[in-house]
Amino acid sequence: MRFSLARESWFLVACIGAIVNLNAAAASVLEVDLVFPRNETYAPTTWFPVVFAFQNAERARLLNPHISYTIRNWDNMLGNDGASFSHDLRLANWSSHDPYFVCNYFHDVFAKEGRWWLTWHVTWESCNEVAFSAGLSRDMIRNSSSWSVLFTTDNSAPEIDLVAVTNNKTCPAELGVAINVTDRTMAVPFGVDWSGGDTCAVVASSTPTPTANPSQVKVDSVVVASMSASLAATLCRGIDAPANCTNDDESVAQQLVVPGVSVVGISCVLAAFGAFIFF
Ligand SMILES: *[C@@H]1O[C@H](CO)[C@@H](O)[C@H](O)[C@H]1NC(C)=O
Ligand SMILES: *[C@@H]1O[C@H](CO)[C@@H](O)[C@H](O)[C@H]1NC(C)=O
Ligand SMILES: *[C@@H]1O[C@H](CO)[C@@H](O)[C@H](O)[C@H]1NC(C)=O
Ligand SMILES: *[C@@H]1O[C@H](CO)[C@@H](O)[C@H](O)[C@H]1NC(C)=O
Ligand SMILES: *[C@@H]1O[C@H](CO)[C@@H](O)[C@H](O)[C@H]1NC(C)=O
Ligand SMILES: *[C@@H]1O[C@H](CO)[C@@H](O)[C@H](O)[C@H]1NC(C)=O
């Protein structure tokens, strides 16, 4: 199987939500959740969002987290009808935005009816405390979590409404993974193959591991407006900018060049461009 997405077929926007600690009681627990899509039916759309969230995002800083996913046409699994993406989060600013939203818009792929199977993998790495202390190992502890959802696009279904999807609804715990990141950090020993920096964090090995609670992530209208503004600004900055771009869009685009600048009360960062190909 081979997918080849053209450079202009997607844009990656990392959006940052309200500064709310949703889960103060378990502040050590980082959670990575798929926020959208769910096991639901939506109207086809030209720009289809895929949204993940990090709760207690600050705890992600030393774990070198990585998200990748593939979306296949359930009724044509061997065709090259679908999409895939991988989020490199090494430049994410985890420090002041909670939950930290990571979003990506796919162009045209989901503008038609179908059943789609989204499979994602979250990977992270942590200090190998015992082995590093004893000088025994040069490997990080690598861990990962995978899950999938089946969603449907259908012309008779309602338009995508991220606020409605994430508010007053519960979703299965499997949409998230909870990672108990302790306060203990270590210097990464010389020779360890790791792209995460000089310091690593220790992940608690105690059982039971905490349960994920993805239903806690709410997308509000401010986050949606910010995502839309980012998308519009990205389009307006690109080659083939839409004719209806306004000065406002350009000014949003200008602001987005500087990470952390507030756009409609929220920070949105344009994280990356590029084509993604896999076999
Ligand atoms: C939800 O998932 C089940 C299988 O897990 C599938 O049969 C059903 O069609 C899905 N619903 C939608 C709306 O995609
Ligand atoms: C969620 O439910 C509460 C109470 O019923 C209501 O006040 C609120 O407007 C609802 N939120 C959304 C986004 O529908
Ligand atoms: C990997 O992470 C999961 C979820 O936090 C946890 O249950 C499991 O024990 C971890 N595995 C290792 C080898 O650390
Ligand atoms: C996280 O791990 C620590 C041990 O390092 C443990 O005391 C704490 O109860 C764990 N938290 C949760 C929510 O499991
Ligand atoms: C420009 O037009 C497109 C297509 O009609 C629309 O989706 C988009 O929101 C418009 N952009 C602005 C900035 O008005
Ligand atoms: C991260 O975000 C915070 C809050 O928006 C900001 O103060 C800080 O300068 C940012 N850090 C970097 C490295 O951009």
Side-chain angles (χ1 to χ4, degrees), residues 211-243:
T211 309
N213 190 356
S215 305
Q216 276 193 131
V217 177
K218 313 287 182 211
V219 172
D220 63 20
S221 55
V222 178
V223 174
V224 170
S226 192
M227 286 172 62
S228 308
S230 301
L231 176 60
T234 306
L235 295 176
C236 290
R237 264 198 316 168
I239 319 164
D240 299 331

Short mmCIF file of all heavy atoms in Angstrom, two decimals, residues 211-243:
data_model
loop_
_atom_site.label_atom_id
_atom_site.label_comp_id
_atom_site.label_asym_id
_atom_site.label_seq_id
_atom_site.Cartn_x
_atom_site.Cartn_y
_atom_site.Cartn_z
N THR A 211 -6.32 5.37 35.10
CA THR A 211 -7.26 5.21 33.98
C THR A 211 -7.39 6.53 33.24
O THR A 211 -7.49 7.58 33.86
CB THR A 211 -8.64 4.79 34.51
OG1 THR A 211 -8.46 3.68 35.37
CG2 THR A 211 -9.57 4.42 33.37
N ALA A 212 -7.41 6.45 31.93
CA ALA A 212 -7.56 7.66 31.13
C ALA A 212 -9.00 8.17 31.22
O ALA A 212 -9.93 7.39 31.40
CB ALA A 212 -7.19 7.38 29.68
N ASN A 213 -9.15 9.47 31.11
CA ASN A 213 -10.47 10.07 31.13
C ASN A 213 -10.61 11.09 30.00
O ASN A 213 -10.64 12.30 30.24
CB ASN A 213 -10.71 10.72 32.50
CG ASN A 213 -12.16 11.15 32.67
OD1 ASN A 213 -12.96 11.02 31.75
ND2 ASN A 213 -12.49 11.68 33.83
N PRO A 214 -10.67 10.60 28.77
CA PRO A 214 -10.71 11.52 27.63
C PRO A 214 -11.97 12.39 27.60
O PRO A 214 -11.95 13.46 26.97
CB PRO A 214 -10.65 10.59 26.42
CG PRO A 214 -11.00 9.24 26.92
CD PRO A 214 -10.62 9.19 28.35
N SER A 215 -13.03 11.97 28.29
CA SER A 215 -14.25 12.79 28.28
C SER A 215 -14.03 14.16 28.92
O SER A 215 -14.82 15.07 28.73
CB SER A 215 -15.36 12.08 29.05
OG SER A 215 -15.57 10.79 28.53
N GLN A 216 -12.94 14.27 29.68
CA GLN A 216 -12.68 15.56 30.34
C GLN A 216 -12.26 16.65 29.38
O GLN A 216 -12.32 17.83 29.72
CB GLN A 216 -11.55 15.39 31.36
CG GLN A 216 -12.02 14.87 32.68
CD GLN A 216 -10.93 15.03 33.72
OE1 GLN A 216 -11.17 15.53 34.79
NE2 GLN A 216 -9.73 14.59 33.39
N VAL A 217 -11.78 16.28 28.21
CA VAL A 217 -11.32 17.30 27.28
C VAL A 217 -12.51 17.91 26.57
O VAL A 217 -13.27 17.21 25.89
CB VAL A 217 -10.34 16.70 26.23
CG1 VAL A 217 -9.93 17.75 25.22
CG2 VAL A 217 -9.14 16.10 26.91
N LYS A 218 -12.71 19.20 26.77
CA LYS A 218 -13.80 19.92 26.12
C LYS A 218 -13.20 20.90 25.12
O LYS A 218 -12.31 21.66 25.47
CB LYS A 218 -14.63 20.72 27.13
CG LYS A 218 -15.02 19.96 28.37
CD LYS A 218 -16.10 18.94 28.10
CE LYS A 218 -16.51 18.24 29.38
NZ LYS A 218 -16.94 16.86 29.15
N VAL A 219 -13.70 20.87 23.92
CA VAL A 219 -13.33 21.90 22.95
C VAL A 219 -14.40 22.96 23.03
O VAL A 219 -15.59 22.66 22.90
CB VAL A 219 -13.25 21.30 21.54
CG1 VAL A 219 -13.06 22.40 20.51
CG2 VAL A 219 -12.14 20.27 21.46
N ASP A 220 -14.01 24.20 23.30
CA ASP A 220 -15.02 25.26 23.34
C ASP A 220 -14.94 26.11 22.07
O ASP A 220 -14.10 25.88 21.20
CB ASP A 220 -14.90 26.10 24.62
CG ASP A 220 -13.56 26.81 24.71
OD1 ASP A 220 -12.90 26.98 23.67
OD2 ASP A 220 -13.18 27.18 25.83
N SER A 221 -15.86 27.07 21.98
CA SER A 221 -15.95 27.84 20.73
C SER A 221 -14.68 28.67 20.50
O SER A 221 -14.35 28.97 19.36
CB SER A 221 -17.18 28.74 20.76
OG SER A 221 -17.14 29.55 21.92
N VAL A 222 -13.98 29.01 21.57
CA VAL A 222 -12.74 29.77 21.42
C VAL A 222 -11.67 28.91 20.75
O VAL A 222 -10.96 29.38 19.84
CB VAL A 222 -12.24 30.28 22.80
CG1 VAL A 222 -10.93 31.02 22.65
CG2 VAL A 222 -13.29 31.14 23.45
N VAL A 223 -11.60 27.66 21.16
CA VAL A 223 -10.62 26.76 20.54
C VAL A 223 -10.98 26.55 19.06
O VAL A 223 -10.11 26.59 18.19
CB VAL A 223 -10.59 25.41 21.29
CG1 VAL A 223 -9.69 24.41 20.57
CG2 VAL A 223 -10.11 25.60 22.72
N VAL A 224 -12.28 26.35 18.79
CA VAL A 224 -12.72 26.14 17.40
C VAL A 224 -12.40 27.36 16.55
O VAL A 224 -11.87 27.25 15.45
CB VAL A 224 -14.22 25.81 17.36
CG1 VAL A 224 -14.74 25.84 15.93
CG2 VAL A 224 -14.48 24.44 17.98
N ALA A 225 -12.68 28.54 17.11
CA ALA A 225 -12.41 29.78 16.36
C ALA A 225 -10.92 29.89 16.07
O ALA A 225 -10.50 30.31 14.99
CB ALA A 225 -12.90 30.99 17.16
N SER A 226 -10.13 29.49 17.04
CA SER A 226 -8.70 29.59 16.89
C SER A 226 -8.18 28.61 15.83
O SER A 226 -7.33 28.96 15.01
CB SER A 226 -8.07 29.29 18.25
OG SER A 226 -6.73 29.62 18.23
N MET A 227 -8.75 27.41 15.83
CA MET A 227 -8.36 26.44 14.81
C MET A 227 -8.75 26.94 13.43
O MET A 227 -7.96 26.85 12.48
CB MET A 227 -9.05 25.10 15.07
CG MET A 227 -8.47 24.33 16.23
SD MET A 227 -9.46 22.87 16.64
CE MET A 227 -9.33 21.92 15.14
N SER A 228 -9.97 27.49 13.31
CA SER A 228 -10.42 28.00 12.00
C SER A 228 -9.56 29.17 11.55
O SER A 228 -9.22 29.28 10.37
CB SER A 228 -11.87 28.45 12.07
OG SER A 228 -12.66 27.45 12.61
N ALA A 229 -9.23 30.04 12.51
CA ALA A 229 -8.40 31.19 12.16
C ALA A 229 -7.02 30.74 11.69
O ALA A 229 -6.46 31.28 10.73
CB ALA A 229 -8.26 32.12 13.37
N SER A 230 -6.50 29.71 12.34
CA SER A 230 -5.20 29.19 11.94
C SER A 230 -5.24 28.61 10.53
O SER A 230 -4.35 28.84 9.72
CB SER A 230 -4.73 28.09 12.90
OG SER A 230 -4.65 28.57 14.20
N LEU A 231 -6.32 27.87 10.28
CA LEU A 231 -6.47 27.27 8.95
C LEU A 231 -6.59 28.36 7.89
O LEU A 231 -5.89 28.34 6.87
CB LEU A 231 -7.69 26.36 8.92
CG LEU A 231 -8.04 25.72 7.58
CD1 LEU A 231 -6.89 24.84 7.08
CD2 LEU A 231 -9.31 24.90 7.68
N ALA A 232 -7.49 29.34 8.15
CA ALA A 232 -7.68 30.42 7.18
C ALA A 232 -6.38 31.19 6.96
O ALA A 232 -6.00 31.49 5.82
CB ALA A 232 -8.78 31.37 7.68
N ALA A 233 -5.67 31.46 8.05
CA ALA A 233 -4.43 32.22 7.92
C ALA A 233 -3.39 31.44 7.14
O ALA A 233 -2.66 32.00 6.32
CB ALA A 233 -3.90 32.56 9.32
N THR A 234 -3.36 30.12 7.38
CA THR A 234 -2.40 29.28 6.67
C THR A 234 -2.70 29.30 5.18
O THR A 234 -1.80 29.46 4.35
CB THR A 234 -2.47 27.84 7.20
OG1 THR A 234 -2.29 27.88 8.62
CG2 THR A 234 -1.39 26.99 6.59
N LEU A 235 -3.99 29.18 4.85
CA LEU A 235 -4.38 29.19 3.43
C LEU A 235 -4.04 30.54 2.81
O LEU A 235 -3.59 30.62 1.68
CB LEU A 235 -5.87 28.91 3.29
CG LEU A 235 -6.32 27.53 3.74
CD1 LEU A 235 -7.84 27.42 3.65
CD2 LEU A 235 -5.66 26.46 2.89
N CYS A 236 -4.31 31.60 3.56
CA CYS A 236 -4.10 32.94 3.01
C CYS A 236 -2.63 33.27 2.82
O CYS A 236 -2.27 34.13 2.05
CB CYS A 236 -4.76 33.98 3.92
SG CYS A 236 -6.58 33.88 3.86
N ARG A 237 -1.78 32.56 3.54
CA ARG A 237 -0.35 32.79 3.42
C ARG A 237 0.27 31.98 2.30
O ARG A 237 1.38 32.24 1.86
CB ARG A 237 0.36 32.40 4.72
CG ARG A 237 0.60 33.55 5.63
CD ARG A 237 1.65 33.22 6.64
NE ARG A 237 1.46 31.90 7.20
CZ ARG A 237 2.37 31.29 7.94
NH1 ARG A 237 3.52 31.86 8.16
NH2 ARG A 237 2.13 30.10 8.42
N GLY A 238 -0.46 30.91 1.88
CA GLY A 238 0.13 29.97 0.95
C GLY A 238 0.10 30.44 -0.50
O GLY A 238 -0.47 31.48 -0.83
N ILE A 239 0.71 29.65 -1.36
CA ILE A 239 0.58 29.87 -2.80
C ILE A 239 -0.89 29.57 -3.09
O ILE A 239 -1.50 28.82 -2.38
CB ILE A 239 1.45 28.85 -3.57
CG1 ILE A 239 2.78 28.68 -2.85
CG2 ILE A 239 1.64 29.24 -5.02
CD1 ILE A 239 3.54 27.44 -3.28
N ASP A 240 -1.50 30.09 -4.10
CA ASP A 240 -2.91 29.86 -4.38
C ASP A 240 -3.81 30.27 -3.21
O ASP A 240 -4.72 29.54 -2.84
CB ASP A 240 -3.21 28.36 -4.66
CG ASP A 240 -2.47 27.87 -5.88
OD1 ASP A 240 -2.21 28.70 -6.77
OD2 ASP A 240 -2.16 26.67 -5.95
N ALA A 241 -3.51 31.38 -2.59
CA ALA A 241 -4.35 31.85 -1.49
C ALA A 241 -5.76 32.10 -2.01
O ALA A 241 -5.95 32.55 -3.15
CB ALA A 241 -3.79 33.14 -0.91
N PRO A 242 -6.81 31.78 -1.21
CA PRO A 242 -8.18 32.05 -1.65
C PRO A 242 -8.36 33.54 -1.93
O PRO A 242 -7.73 34.37 -1.28
CB PRO A 242 -9.04 31.63 -0.45
CG PRO A 242 -8.15 30.87 0.46
CD PRO A 242 -6.74 31.22 0.13
N ALA A 243 -9.25 33.84 -2.90
CA ALA A 243 -9.44 35.24 -3.30
C ALA A 243 -10.05 36.07 -2.18
O ALA A 243 -9.92 37.29 -2.16
CB ALA A 243 -10.35 35.27 -4.54
#
